[in-house]
Amino acid sequence: MKQVKIIECPRDAMQGIKGFIPTERKVAYLQSLLRVGFDTIDFGSFVSPKAIPQMQDTAEVLAQLDLSATTSKLLAIIANTKGAEIASVHPEIQYLGYPFSISENFQMRNTHKTIAESIVTLQEILNIAVKSNKEVVAYLSMGFGNPYGDPWNVEIVGEWTEKLAAMGVTILSLSDTIGSSTPEVIDYLFSNLIPKYPDVEFGAHLHTTPNKWHEKTDAAYKAGCMRFDGAIQGFGGCPMAKDELTGNMPTEKMLSYFTAEKALTNLNSLSFESAYNEATKLFGEFH
């Protein structure tokens, strides 16, 4: 049986919500997720409060989490060197997540940097990670297509993978930022990149409409991907996607798929049910 890593992304689910979710409510929800057994939890971000007001209390949230009984690792998103420095001070955080866009337009919108500047930042973040004993998860935003008219093809994705791997990135998550991926492109990218870069762990951060989740998960898994990002009930996603039905990959749907495929996820089903109910309450109140 194959072992699949599930990365739960409550940060992605919460960050677009306008009303501020009180710190203690975030802590309670994250605590329910920590009991499930996810490989990693993308729990918060150290970015400008102006850019993402919802995540301004990430350090407070972290200070209140009880991590004594969890096997999950924590990942924080950062957008620049300053964020990496702040995050790296916290020993509880194992991973620094950096969104690296192969679309010049999206990189500018997302981090106000050109791709050339972003490469310099990534190198600085990798250096900080090494010093503070952390690992960088690089997200290749627009990994499956691009709505902004920038050049995109699978060769460009391959070239960036080559560059990032040479810089020392060992975990690369291909991100379907606007939900435009097709099973054909997903299959092509993973089945070509995974064998070519055996030292890189490839992940799938897929966004989807409710009717496309199965074909996307199936394409990635059958092409050899063993690392999947999701959010319970598909909450969140990219605010720039044109279709409001496009959200994160629903974790419960992926779990049903992996159960059917007899893949191991090591999750506690009772704890997952409890976290699912917590999500219903939290996102029913704040949305």
Side-chain angles (χ1 to χ4, degrees):
M1 288 174 90
K2 293 202 258 188
Q3 175 74 51
V4 175
K5 289 183 182 175
I6 306 283
I7 287 70
E8 180 64 22
C9 304
R11 183 266 326 158
D12 205 347
M14 292 181 200
Q15 67 180 14
I17 293 172
K18 299 280 184 288
F20 188 71
I21 302 168
T23 302
E24 59 274 16
R25 294 291 300 274
K26 289 182 180 127
V27 170
Y29 181 49
L30 288 167
Q31 213 63 62
S32 75
L33 295 174
L34 286 163
R35 290 190 278 271
V36 178
F38 294 111
D39 180 82
T40 302
I41 297 176
D42 170 355
F43 83 103
S45 61
F46 292 91
V47 297
S48 154
K50 280 201 199 78
I52 304 184
Q54 190 63 258
M55 292 292 125
Q56 62 189 300
D57 60 345
T58 291
E60 289 90 328
V61 167
L62 182 60
Q64 291 178 41
L65 290 177
D66 175 4
L67 301 168
S68 61
T70 190
T71 55
S72 300
K73 299 180 274 295
L74 294 182
L75 179 148
I77 294 288
I78 46 152
N80 53 34
T81 313
K82 184 184 165 196
E85 281 166 351
I86 296 167
S88 72
V89 173
H90 300 279
E92 306 88 348
I93 296 171
Q94 276 94 343
Y95 297 115
L96 306 178
Y98 180 64
F100 180 85
S101 182
I102 55 176
S103 147
E104 194 82 68
N105 276 310
F106 190 73
Q107 191 73 44
M108 286 301 289
R109 282 174 178 225
N110 211 19
T111 62
H112 306 295
K113 288 183 176 66
T114 62
I115 289 179
E117 289 167 333
S118 189
I119 275 281
V120 174
T121 300
L122 177 58
Q123 188 59 66
E124 289 166 351
I125 291 166
L126 284 162
N127 297 343
I128 291 165
V130 168
K131 280 194 206 108
S132 56
N133 204 19
K134 308 211 179 303
E135 220 175 329
V136 173
V137 177
Y139 294 88
L140 215 50
S141 329
M142 300 292 160
F144 296 97
N146 181 326
Y148 299 117
D150 296 324
W152 183 92
N153 57 48
V154 287
E155 283 70 37
I156 291 174
V157 178
E159 283 163 25
W160 281 111
T161 302
E162 175 82 44
K163 280 182 190 160
L164 269 49
M167 288 170 71
V169 171
T170 53
I171 306 175
L172 192 59
S173 205
L174 302 186
S175 299
D176 179 15
T177 314
I178 48 148
S180 63
S181 64
T182 62
E184 294 72 30
V185 173
I186 292 169
D187 171 67
Y188 185 86
L189 283 175
F190 284 119
S191 56
N192 280 287
L193 293 173
I194 290 169
K196 198 173 171 191
Y197 299 96
D199 298 335
V200 176
E201 180 185 346
F202 285 93
H205 184 96
L206 301 171
H207 290 170
T208 186
T209 50
N211 60 338
K212 298 269 174 76
W213 72 268
H214 186 278
E215 62 187 50
K216 293 186 182 199
T217 305
D218 187 58
Y221 179 66
K222 294 205 168 133
C225 182
M226 289 285 134
R227 179 190 176 93
F228 288 82
D229 288 15
I232 290 174
Q233 299 182 44
F235 291 122
C238 184
M240 293 164 197
K242 294 194 170 56
D243 183 345
E244 66 270 18
L245 289 173
T246 301
N248 277 306
M249 179 62 73
T251 310
E252 66 280 4
K253 303 276 198 215
M254 287 197 296
L255 293 184
S256 69
Y257 172 83
F258 292 128
T259 303
E261 289 291 325
K262 304 211 174 2
L264 286 174
T265 56
N266 282 353
L267 302 192
N268 180 310
S269 51
L270 278 175
S271 295
F272 182 78
E273 203 174 311
S274 165
Y276 184 95
N277 294 337
E278 288 297 318
T280 303
K281 277 189 277 196
L282 183 69
F283 294 101
E285 193 178 330
F286 299 92
H287 51 78

